[in-house]
């Protein structure tokens, strides 16, 4: 069956949407308020401890509560452990590499490139990808700033103090989350269940190598550029290239926009603080109040959905990086300027590289996610079978409902991200997105009907059906499942009409009249209107 027609979908001038979109993304919830309060408390404690004991890298320490805090105790702890392991290995590897690269740029630059490539490649093929990313990132960034340190001794001391600053900030964050964040049962299930350490297509999909090469090229271009013009203050360009790189062009540009938006807001708050508040701040108490206010704003955004959360992380880092320039008030505005320029440079370079070199388009991932949802939906439609116990049917249906719902959520996310690619996409992609959105909406209606058929009341009604009625319905749902799974080919439409007619005759002959009959009819009606996924 051909795809439905739709008018071309024009991207919004601002891809994030309307004021209502922002209201939805920033809406208050008890869980959000609690997580924000924990972030604020952790950031304030980090500032007090570092200022009192004069621990270097205060801006990095104060940022740890935002980087490490997750939606559950379990995920926060796992993030903290993986982060500390990656940090330790990365700093150790960088110190070892310094034995060969310190004072030798002809070795340092290739070493940085190799570390970045390996880190990005491992982040795509390894089940615990963030660990590989963190190691590669730490090695590359530490190598990039090594030449600015006047002696090897100071360099080693600086790296070891950096480990202390990050480790105690991360540890404090984990402890506060364990003490005050409510338990969230079931989240350990999100751990990878694969017995392999690598993803299924780790060594067969060239996209993994292409991704690592793109990130390496963008980051090294920025590094060579700002070193060539003798402006190392914009080193955030290199960091931007590595941190915003994601699985597709749309996702990367989306994260880049969040990064620059968070940077502008955080930089503006820092600028206001430095110009108007710093001259009047004489005690650490006044500093704590300012930190708490900025952390509350950043934390509230960071605890939102993935469509906005990275903006909160960036806001926090931009503010702390600009404000904390020592252990005493400082009115130097160079950091604010340099940070914004560096992020803009990294965003432009990364956007161009991901748009034109081996582009991984979000609309292709959208189609793949929708096909995965169709396959799961087809399996859900087949439940229960004549020989299946009700308990087994309930268990299987519950698992499939959760998995299918998650697939639809992924698809909706890709719809949002696809809008970031339209500036350079052909018109047919805009029309295709309209078709995909319509198909997704219809598939969600089918999902609602299938979920109703797998509910407790509907399953109880199924158990009361005569054997012939169960057999007829099961055959009908099997045809429905094929119609969904095969993405709407024309030959299944005729089979579906025949199966529906036979089921109707059987129900009338057996005089079966209950709520389940209506639900089955509704399911068939919705599926008959389901169109194919446009190419």
């Amino acid at each position: 069956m051909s795809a439905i027609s739709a008018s071309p979908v024009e991207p919004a001038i601002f891809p994030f949407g309307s004021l209502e979109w922002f209201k939805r993304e920033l809406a208050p919830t008890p869980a959000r308020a609690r997580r924000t309060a924990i972030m604020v408390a952790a950031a304030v404690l980090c500032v007090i401890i570092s200022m009192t004991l004069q621990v270097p890298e205060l801006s990095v320490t104060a940022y740890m509560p935002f980087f490490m805090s997750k939606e559950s105790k379990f995920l926060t702890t796992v993030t903290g452990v993986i982060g500390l392991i990656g940090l330790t290995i990365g700093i150790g590897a960088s110190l070892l590499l310094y034995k060969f690269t310190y004072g030798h740029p002809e070795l340092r630059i290739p070493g940085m490139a190799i570390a970045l490539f390996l880190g990005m490649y491992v982040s795509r093929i390894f089940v615990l990808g963030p660990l590989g990313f963190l190691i590669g990132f730490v090695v590359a960034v530490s190598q990039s700033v090594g030449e600015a340190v006047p002696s090897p001794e100071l360099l080693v001391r600086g790296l070891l103090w950096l480990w202390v600053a990050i480790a105690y900030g991360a540890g404090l964050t984990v402890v506060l989350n364990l003490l005050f964040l409510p338990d969230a049962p079931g989240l350990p299930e999100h751990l990878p269940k694969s017995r392999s350490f690598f993803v299924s297509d780790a060594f067969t999909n060239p996209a993994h190598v292409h991704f690592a090469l793109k990130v390496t090229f963008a980051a090294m271009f920025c590094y060579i550029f700002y070193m060539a013009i003798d402006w190392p203050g914009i080193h955030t360009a290199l960091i931007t290239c590595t941190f915003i790189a994601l699985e597709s062009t749309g996702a990367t540009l989306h994260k880049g926009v969040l990064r620059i938006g968070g940077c502008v807001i955080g930089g503006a708050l820092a600028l206001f603080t430095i110009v108007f508040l710093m001259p009047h701040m004489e005690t650490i108490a006044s500093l704590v109040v300012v930190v708490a206010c900025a952390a509350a704003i950043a934390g509230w955004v960071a605890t939102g959905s993935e469509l906005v959360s990275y903006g909160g992380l960036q806001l926090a880092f931009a503010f702390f990086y600009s404000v904390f320039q020592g252990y005493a008030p400082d009115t130097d505005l160079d950091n604010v300027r340099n940070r914004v320029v560096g992020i803009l440079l990294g965003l432009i370079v990364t956007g161009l590289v991901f748009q034109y070199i081996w582009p991984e388009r979000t609309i292709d991932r959208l189609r793949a996610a929708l096909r995965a949802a169709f396959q799961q939906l087809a399996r859900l439609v087949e439940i229960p079978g004549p020989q299946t116990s009700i308990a087994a049917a309930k268990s299987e249906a519950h698992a499939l409902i959760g998995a299918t719902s998650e697939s639809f959520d992924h698809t909706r996310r890709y719809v949002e991200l696809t809008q970031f690619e339209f500036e350079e996409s052909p018109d047919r992609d805009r029309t295709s997105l309209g078709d995909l959105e319509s198909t997704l909406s219809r598939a969600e209606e089918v999902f609602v009907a299938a979920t109703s058929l797998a509910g407790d009341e509907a399953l109880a009604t199924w158990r009361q059906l005569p054997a012939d009625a169960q057999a007829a319905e099961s055959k009908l749902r099997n045809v429905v499942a094929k119609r969904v799974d095969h993405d709407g080919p024309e030959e299944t439409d005729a089979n579906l009409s025949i199966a529906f007619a036979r089921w109707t005759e059987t129900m009338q002959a057996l005089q079966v009249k209950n709520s389940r009959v209506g639900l089955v009819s509704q399911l068939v009606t919705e599926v008959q209107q389901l169109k194919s996924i446009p190419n």
Side-chain angles (χ1 to χ4, degrees):
M1 183 176 293
S2 61
I4 61 173
S5 61
S7 59
V9 178
E10 296 293 339
I13 295 177
F14 193 66
F16 291 102
S18 63
L19 180 61
E20 292 301 320
W21 186 92
F22 275 99
K23 287 181 178 179
R24 184 184 75 242
E25 291 297 328
L26 300 178
T29 63
R32 191 173 202 169
R34 184 183 290 268
R35 288 186 61 203
T36 301
I38 292 173
M39 290 182 183
V40 172
V44 167
L45 286 175
C46 286
V47 170
I48 293 174
I49 294 172
S50 292
M51 293 290 287
T52 303
L53 302 179
Q54 294 196 353
V55 180
E57 304 294 344
L58 172 55
S59 60
V60 178
T61 305
Y63 176 66
M64 283 301 102
F66 301 88
F67 184 74
M68 293 292 178
S69 293
K70 304 299 177 185
E71 59 268 25
S72 72
K73 295 179 179 180
F74 175 79
L75 292 179
T76 301
T77 304
V78 170
T79 302
V81 172
I82 291 178
L84 287 179
I85 293 174
L87 174 67
T88 303
I89 297 175
I91 288 181
S94 191
L95 289 173
L96 179 63
L97 195 58
Y98 271 133
K99 293 186 63 176
F100 308 98
T101 63
Y102 187 78
H104 298 280
E106 70 278 7
L107 297 178
R108 184 182 70 254
I109 293 177
M112 288 174 56
I114 292 172
L116 266 178
F117 174 81
L118 292 177
M120 292 299 162
Y121 179 63
V122 171
S123 73
R124 289 270 299 222
I125 68 170
F126 198 50
V127 172
L128 296 177
L131 181 61
F133 165 81
L134 188 58
I135 294 172
F137 173 78
V138 170
V139 172
V141 173
S142 60
Q143 291 291 314
S144 72
V145 299
E147 291 300 310
V149 182
S151 71
E153 180 182 354
L154 291 177
L155 180 61
V156 173
R157 287 172 59 86
L159 283 178
L160 294 179
W161 271 117
L162 177 64
W163 186 93
V164 172
I166 295 177
Y168 101 77
L172 180 62
T173 302
V174 171
V175 169
L176 289 179
N177 276 271
L178 289 175
L179 290 176
F180 299 108
L181 195 64
D183 291 315
L187 280 171
E189 296 178 1
H190 289 279
L191 276 179
K193 297 181 179 180
S194 173
R195 296 181 180 180
S196 173
F197 289 108
F198 302 98
V199 298
S200 58
D201 62 349
F203 305 107
T204 57
N205 188 352
H208 302 319
V209 175
H210 294 167
F211 172 81
L213 287 173
K214 288 188 293 186
V215 178
T216 302
F217 175 78
M220 294 308 299
F221 176 87
C222 289
Y223 172 74
I224 294 173
F225 176 79
Y226 68 68
M227 293 300 290
I229 64 175
D230 194 23
W231 195 358
I234 62 172
H235 66 275
T236 47
L238 185 149
I239 299 174
T240 297
C241 293
T242 56
F243 263 89
I244 69 171
L246 290 174
E247 72 277 4
S248 67
T249 303
T252 298
L253 296 179
H254 168 258
K255 196 171 184 180
V257 172
L258 288 177
R259 183 170 175 81
I260 190 60
C263 173
V264 169
I265 298 173
L269 291 175
L271 183 65
F272 178 83
T273 301
I274 293 172
V275 174
F276 296 104
L277 301 181
M278 281 289 190
H280 307 288
M281 295 169 60
E282 299 178 353
T283 65
I284 194 173
S286 56
L287 179 62
V288 164
V289 172
V290 173
V291 168
C293 293
I297 298 172
W300 193 265
V301 179
T303 52
S305 73
E306 61 179 358
L307 293 175
V308 297
S309 59
Y310 185 73
L313 301 183
Q314 185 57 47
L315 192 160
F317 192 54
F319 177 81
F320 293 137
Y321 183 85
S322 302
V323 168
F324 294 127
Q325 304 176 30
Y327 303 111
D330 194 330
T331 57
D332 184 7
L333 301 180
D334 287 349
N335 273 346
V336 180
R337 178 202 62 194
N338 292 345
R339 180 166 183 77
V340 173
V341 172
I343 290 175
L344 279 174
L345 174 62
L347 179 60
I348 292 171
V349 172
T350 304
L352 291 174
V353 169
F354 272 72
Q355 188 76 7
Y356 295 108
I357 301 177
W358 294 311
E360 294 183 74
R361 298 165 64 243
T362 308
I363 197 166
D364 295 330
R365 289 183 172 267
L366 193 162
R367 293 188 185 99
L370 189 54
R371 288 190 181 96
F374 272 37
Q375 292 170 357
Q376 292 165 333
L377 182 57
R379 291 167 55 197
L380 178 62
V381 167
E382 293 178 320
I383 300 173
Q387 307 301 324
T388 306
S389 68
I390 295 299
K394 285 183 180 180
S395 177
E396 186 179 1
H398 179 74
L400 276 173
I401 288 171
T404 308
S405 178
E406 188 174 350
S407 294
F408 281 130
D409 289 341
H410 287 322
T411 307
R412 283 292 179 191
R413 174 176 176 266
Y414 287 135
V415 169
E416 298 258 5
L417 295 179
T418 299
Q419 299 179 48
F420 286 81
E421 299 178 347
F422 277 162
E423 286 74 8
E424 296 293 337
S425 296
D427 287 341
R428 65 180 180 82
D429 283 349
R430 303 181 187 181
T431 304
S432 179
L433 178 61
D435 295 341
L436 286 166
E437 285 189 279
S438 298
T439 302
L440 173 59
S441 297
R442 179 59 61 187
E444 288 176 329
E445 294 293 332
V446 176
F447 177 57
V448 171
T451 301
S452 299
L453 276 174
D456 292 343
E457 182 179 348
L459 288 176
T461 306
W462 159 266
R463 182 160 43 185
Q464 298 171 2
L465 290 176
D468 291 344
Q470 288 186 350
E473 183 191 314
S474 181
K475 290 179 181 178
L476 173 61
R477 284 190 283 104
N478 288 339
V479 176
V480 170
K482 290 180 180 179
R483 169 68 169 76
V484 173
D485 192 19
H486 286 77
D487 195 15
E490 294 181 2
E491 58 268 19
T492 58
D493 287 337
N495 295 337
L496 178 58
S497 298
I498 295 171
F500 184 50
R502 289 176 178 173
W503 171 80
T504 302
E505 292 174 0
T506 302
M507 295 298 107
Q508 291 175 348
L510 296 174
Q511 297 184 348
V512 176
K513 296 180 181 179
N514 52 40
S515 58
R516 188 173 181 87
V517 173
L519 292 175
V520 172
S521 297
Q522 181 184 356
L523 174 66
V524 173
T525 301
E526 297 290 351
V527 170
Q528 285 175 331
Q529 300 178 51
L530 185 65
K531 307 300 180 181
S532 62
I533 299 175
N535 296 318

